[in-house]
Each structure stands twice: as structure tokens, then as C-alpha cells.
Amino acid sequence: MIGPAEVEGCLSISRIAAGMHPPDAETVLVRHGELGVKSDQVRIKMERQLRGHIDALFRDRSISGRIWTERNRIYIETERVEDATEAATDAFGVVSASPAVRVEPRLDAILEAMRRATEKTYDGGTFAVRARRAGPADAHSFSSTDLERKGGAAVGGAIESLGEEAVVDLDDPDFTVFVECRPDKAFVFLEKRDGPGGLPLGSQRPLVALISGGHDSPVAAWEAMRRGSPIVPLYVDLGDFGGADHRARAVATADRLAELAPQYDMRLRVAPAAELVADLMATVEATRMLSLRRAMLAVAEQVADDHDAVGIVTGESIGQKSSQTTANLAVTDAATDLPVHRPLVTTDKTDILERARELGTYEDTSIPAGCNRVAPDHPETNATVEAVERAEPDGLFERARAIADDRTVVGRE
């Protein structure tokens, strides 16, 4: 039996290469994970949000199709199954999606679809059949085992008709034909293409995401979105200490994130902090970077208040930089009353860079971060709030709030 939800087996951004679907495929099966274990009321609401996100991606990409929910599964009917599958697997909350051909829930129709799919797409190697039947026992004259046994014979025969040897491998096949059979319809498909998993975007309250222009922050923002939170991207412009290239990278990464959530205004908010940075450079030594981070959090808090956001997201991870020791993170967090979310807090840098590549925000030539130019030669790694406050210029947070009020909005409409 097909349960109300399937285990969320892949949290990566990557997916199987496009192109593997049966001839005449016109349906996309969309699977979610965590939604299936929610209460009925919450699940129905989240399924509605997930359908809305997929629909927004369709509109943004000029894809037409019908989207509906039935028995804890989302279905899409469209003439553009590849584009629709790619869009569906960009939607937060989707565990996987499969471009499929729909047939009558009769054994002969299913076997014929399996044969045709094999003849059109098989390109060598071992094979397997995975079949699942849902519904009461009397809904069909066959079982899941019958589907796999007779389906295996049909697929094997089709492979042999192509002049190839039919070799079964149930553990790690090169070619798999899937069957999902329900009381009133059946589907044949050849892949389960990974989505991001998580929760539907909009199922959580918004968060302000500090986008630095480096590799870490867009990945952290994406992770927050994957857990259902729309984000308000914020770039604190350091002036000459950041540079035009650094700002352009921040705009580009925010635009990439915005492509994944076209139903939200995710243009980059740019707060001008050049004068504040210059003052910190002239007046603060070992704890300069901490004061700058505290000012950034104060700017983000003001932006959050304006956008009804309930927290701040950063790309920091423990020990990655001198400002990111556990002691120093505690000092910077004291600058705001909002929770600071760090999705990458225990993630290694190599893993972050790999996620950035998969997300499409990584560039082969790294642009030096403006914060690196601000950092002192001998930074404090075990600061206290009292010591940092003593070294800070008067009115730091008031200036930060004024900077937030002076922000501009740039990027993808």
C-alpha cells in the first residue's frame, strides 16, 4: 500500500538529469514528505501552499498545466512534462517528482506502457521493476507482486527485442521501470527526480537574510526557505570596503533565490553603511569586526520590523572566522532581540561550497569579502559583551537603524 507520505530521502539541491520519461508522458507525480505526518488540517493547508508555489513557478516560467491534490499526492497534467518536472522539483516541500504516462488500471494496459517505455528509452545495462498498488484488495485483479513479476517479463522481453541481454539487478539497476497503480488510474515512469524537501514556502513566518556577497549566505537563505520561511534579502553595503563587484555578486545571488520564489518580493534591500564602516576602522581595533556584525544585526532588526519578519538568517558557522567563535557569536547576538538563525552553524566549508555550486550561486573566481578587509590584524576571538560595548562608538545602533531606513531596493522584479 502507498502510505500517506514517503520518507524524505534527499536533502540536496541536485537532481537526476532530465530526459527520462515514457513516450506520451503527460502527467507529473509530485511527492511531499513531512506534510504527510501533519494533522489533516495542517496537511491540507500546507498542500494548498505547495500547490500555490508550484503554480507561481509555472506562471513565472510560462508553463501551462492543471495542478491538483488527490490522496496525499499532487498531480500535474501538462504538455511540457520536462519543464513542469523541473519547476516542481524547485518547489520547497517537494521530495521528488516523476514525469509519467497515465494508463487505465488494467494489467494489459500497464504492461503495454512498460514495454513501450522500455523500447523507447532503454540504453543498456541491468534492469528492475518497482511496482506499488494502492486501494482495497478487490480494486484490481492483480497484486503488487503480480505487477513486478509480469512487468519484469514485459520489460525483459522488450530489452531482448532490442537485441540486448535482459539482466535483472534488484539492488542497483541501470534502468528501472516504476509502476504506481491506484483504483482508478495507473502511472508508469522511469525516474524519481529529487526536489529540495522541507516544508512549503509560506508555511513559516518571514525572516530577514543577511546576504554578504560570499558563498555562505545564499546557501543559508536557501536552507531557511527550504524550511518554509520566505526571506527578505538584505545587503549591508560597506562602500569601498566591499566594492562594486561584491555588491553585484550579492544582487546576482539574491536574484537566483528570487527565481525560486516568484510569488514573493525578494528583491535585494541595500543599506548604505560606508560611513559607519569608516568610523569603525578609525576607532575600534581588536573587536572591530564584532561591532560591524552587531551593527548589521541592528540594521536587519529594523528591516525585519518593517516587513513583519520574526528573525534573522546569516551564513555563519562555528569557528569559520575569528568573528564566528562561540564566544563571539554570543556577543554579536546580544545586539538584537530577534532570534538569529544559522542553518550552516555546523557545516564544513567544503560542503557549503558544494551546495552553492548546486544552487547556482557559486562562481569559480571568488570575490574577496568586504568583511575580510575590515577585519583587524589581531582580532579578538574570546570577546565579552562588556568589552565590545566599551570599544564601540556612541550611537552605533541608532546609526544602524538610520542606515536601515535609508535602504534602497534592487534586483529581479
Side-chain angles (χ1 to χ4, degrees), residues 269-298:
R269 278 68 176 175
V270 179
E275 291 185 7
L276 176 61
V277 174
D279 287 350
L280 290 175
M281 292 291 292
T283 60
V284 182
E285 293 298 332
T287 59
R288 180 192 307 147
M289 196 64 234
L290 301 184
S291 291
L292 176 59
R293 297 297 299 173
R294 283 159 58 83
M296 288 180 172
L297 292 179

Side-chain angles (χ1 to χ4, degrees), residues 6 29-33 50 72-74 93-98 132 178 180 189 191-193 197:
E6 297 193 13
L29 312 184
V30 181
R31 306 171 188 87
H32 52 67
L50 181 52
N72 301 312
R73 177 64 52 82
I74 294 176
V94 171
V95 172
S96 67
S98 299
R132 305 177 74 184
F178 298 90
E180 183 173 304
F189 52 98
E191 64 170 327
K192 294 182 179 180
R193 203 174 301 174

Side-chain angles (χ1 to χ4, degrees), residues 370-391:
C371 292
N372 293 340
R373 302 169 189 169
V374 178
D377 293 334
H378 303 287
E380 175 61 65
T381 59
N382 192 31
T384 65
V385 173
E386 295 76 16
V388 172
E389 288 178 341
R390 283 196 300 270

Side-chain angles (χ1 to χ4, degrees), residues 39-58:
S39 67
D40 287 347
Q41 182 178 5
V42 172
R43 176 183 53 77
I44 291 169
K45 178 181 179 181
M46 286 190 174
E47 285 179 340
R48 188 181 306 117
Q49 291 168 324
L50 181 52
R51 290 198 310 272
H53 189 184
I54 295 172
D55 184 63
L57 289 166
F58 275 27

